Structures are given as C-alpha cells and as structure tokens.
Amino acid sequence: MKLQNKVAIVTGAGTGIGRATAILLAQHGVKIGIIDRVSAQSQETVQIIEQHGGQAMWQSADVSQADQMERAIAQVMQQWGRIDIVVANAGINGAWAPIEDLLPEEWDTTLHTNLKGTFLTVKYAVPHLKQQSEGSIIIVSSVNGTRGFSLSGATAYACSKAAQVAFTKMIALELAKYRIRVNVICPGAIETGINDHDSQRRHLEEIREPVEFPRGNIPLTGGHPGKSEDVAQLVLFLASSASSYITGTEIWIDGAESLIKG
Ligand code: NAD
C-alpha cells in the first residue's frame, strides 16, 4: 500500500509505542486518527506530528466502551473521509498478583482493555476499511502469553495477549477476500511508561521462579530493552505494500528475549 494520504487509526497513541507509531506513519504521509483516553498526552502527539508537517486528530475514548469507540471512529471518518490502516495498540499491564489475590474485577479490567478493546477497534473500523481496495490491521500483543509464560502473576495480561493472536487469525481469514490484511506483533521489553500506567503488582515474590540471566536477558542487545521506534518500524512495514502478501501472522520483536525466557 502506498501510504501517502492514507488514514490510520492508532489507539493508545498518547504515549509509548502508539505515539512512536503515529509519528512514523505521519512522516510517511499518513493522516492519523488517535484514539486514547488521556487528553494532554494525546494532544501533545498531535502537536508533534503537526510541527513536522503531518496531519493528526485526537478522539477521546476508552477502548473498552463500545459506544465511545463507535463514536470515535465515526468522528475520524467524518474528519478524514476514509480509513485504511488500524493499529490496535492501547493496552495496560493491569494487576499482576497470585491467582488467589487477583480480583475478578481486576481480571475484567485487563481483558476489557486489551482484548475487548481490540475487538471494538477492529469491529467499528472494518466497515470503513471495506470501502477501500485494500487495508491493513496491526494488533499489538506481547511476548507474554505467546512465547513467554514465566511472568508469574501476569495471568490476565498474558491471557489477553494470547487471545489477540487467535483474534488476528480468525479475522485475517474472514477479511482476506476484501484484501484487508491482519497481523499481530509481539514486542518484548520496550522502554515506555507502561509499568507506571495502570500497573498494580502484589506478592509476586511468592510465585516467581528463581531464574538468573548472568549476561542480561535480551541476547541481541546485551540486556538493553527495545525502543518504541523499533516497534513503529515494524508497524510501518506491516501497514505498507512491502508486506502485501503477509496476513494472519504473528511477528515477535524482542531481541530474542523470549527464546531464552520462555
Ligand atoms: P503506554 O502505557 O506507554 O501506552 C499505552 C497507551 O494506551 C496510553 O496512551 C494510554 O492512555 C492508552 N490506553 C490505555 N488504556 C486505554 C483505554 N482503556 N482506552 C484508551 N486508551 C487507553 O504503553 P506501551 O508500552 O506503549 O504499550 C502499548 C502496547 O504495547 C500495549 O498493548 C502493551 O501491552 C504492548 N506491549 C508493550 C510492551 C512494553 O514493554 N512496553 C511489551 C509488549 C507489549
């Protein structure tokens, strides 16, 4: 897909991976519809894009709320008139705790944000994607729940991320006839503020297995985490025609972290 003048929805583009993705896509001529519930950061992302000559708008919505998402996506359509690319990125760590400690409502919050939020983002964008001759949906999952299962306590998070992979494959097949591609990316440790946002950790020392990685746990970089911009480059590839025959696929982006942590 040639990206100039295409329109992308990027959820959770107020910070982190979503912001880096929105900025990079905008640098390639994509108009960006940010959907995020945090105002100041989202408006800052819009400003950064506009300062570099790009075009962006922000719609406030909680991705887990159907009415808010339907309205936000309709607003992006009203503003830009089309949707070609969807990046379902908004997500939280939520509560990490032993299973006896984890509250049912904490489970719901994580699953509603990460999984239902992905469903709602895609559901309300698909009718608009179908209006174009091609489209690309990129879902942001994680190594946790897809290759890594040693982050004991992050059960709700890992389950939400695993389910995003199944969702991707179901929808990739359903939408292939419309030339809408659907892929899922699975980052490892990426330097963002995610551990400070909507993250609660309790009593993890009781359940964590004692594992040591003497030379750092990210082999490719000697232990340094990745950057949001690294992930944004992968999203750009999956959004563009460089990946035109790729759909229904998960791609890990983790410097081989998950190969040793498992
Ligand atoms: P971040 O906390 O920096 O950014 C998340 C963004 O999503 C924020 O702008 C936040 O306001 C928004 N958001 C959260 N809940 C929302 C809701 N209910 N409605 C609307 N917006 C909401 O986090 P990040 O590290 O950039 O994470 C982005 C995605 O990448 C998440 O899905 C996360 O699970 C995934 N991921 C991150 C890492 C990592 O190490 N940072 C690793 C693997 C996967």
Side-chain angles (χ1 to χ4, degrees):
M1 195 188 323
K2 299 240 182 329
L3 293 174
Q4 196 70 36
N5 294 323
K6 300 284 184 190
V7 174
I9 284 179
V10 185
T11 67
T15 55
I17 292 169
R19 173 181 278 186
T21 296
I23 291 170
L24 186 65
L25 289 175
Q27 283 168 357
H28 285 77
V30 180
K31 296 175 189 166
I32 308 295
I34 294 169
I35 299 179
D36 198 300
R37 62 183 176 184
V38 179
S39 164
Q41 294 160 351
S42 301
Q43 284 171 342
E44 198 177 276
T45 305
V46 170
Q47 274 172 12
I48 294 169
I49 289 171
E50 288 177 346
Q51 277 162 8
H52 291 86
Q55 295 185 72
M57 63 180 287
W58 163 63
Q59 281 298 308
S60 175
D62 178 337
V63 290
S64 70
Q65 300 299 315
D67 54 340
Q68 295 182 28
M69 287 306 288
E70 187 173 20
R71 198 200 58 232
I73 289 173
Q75 290 291 334
V76 174
M77 270 305 289
Q78 203 179 332
Q79 173 86 9
W80 303 127
R82 60 188 294 158
I83 297 171
D84 306 275
I85 299 158
V86 175
V87 186
N89 162 78
I92 56 167
N93 282 344
W96 294 3
I99 191 76
E100 306 97 306
D101 275 5
L102 190 62
L103 302 172
E105 51 272 30
E106 292 175 329
W107 174 275
D108 286 347
T109 299
T110 303
L111 271 288
H112 285 175
T113 305
N114 296 356
L115 181 58
K116 188 177 177 191
T118 298
F119 159 64
L120 294 174
T121 303
V122 174
K123 172 182 168 57
Y124 290 119
V126 158
H128 308 300
L129 290 168
K130 281 183 175 173
Q131 302 301 311
Q132 307 305 323
S133 55
E134 57 184 346
S136 179
I137 299 171
I138 298 115
I139 291 168
V140 183
S141 172
S142 173
V143 293
N144 292 299
T146 61
R147 263 188 183 169
F149 302 91
S150 56
L151 205 58
S152 301
T155 311
Y157 180 79
C159 288
S160 72
K161 294 292 160 182
Q164 285 179 308
V165 175
F167 177 85
T168 296
K169 294 181 184 201
M170 292 299 297
I171 299 306
L173 184 55
E174 184 178 328
L175 299 181
K177 63 172 78 66
Y178 304 101
R179 288 211 53 83
I180 298 170
R181 299 181 296 105
V182 191
N183 293 290
V184 55
I185 64 178
C186 305
I190 306 296
E191 270 176 343
T192 71
I194 193 167
N195 292 324
D196 305 321
H197 312 145
D198 297 293
S199 293
Q200 304 90 44
R201 298 172 192 217
R202 294 193 301 272
H203 308 138
L204 295 175
E205 60 291 347
E206 295 168 12
I207 53 171
R208 285 284 159 81
E209 296 299 326
V211 183
E212 281 183 32
F213 302 102
R215 294 185 59 228
N217 53 18
I218 304 174
L220 196 65
T221 59
H224 295 294
K227 296 194 176 349
S228 295
E229 289 75 15
D230 298 325
V231 183
Q233 290 289 350
L234 177 55
V235 176
L236 175 67
F237 167 70
L238 289 171
S240 77
S241 54
S243 61
S244 61
Y245 198 52
I246 301 177
T247 193
T249 292
E250 63 267 65
I251 302 179
W252 284 274
I253 173 161
D254 72 341
E257 175 190 354
S258 60
L259 296 179
I260 56 167
K261 274 184 157 179

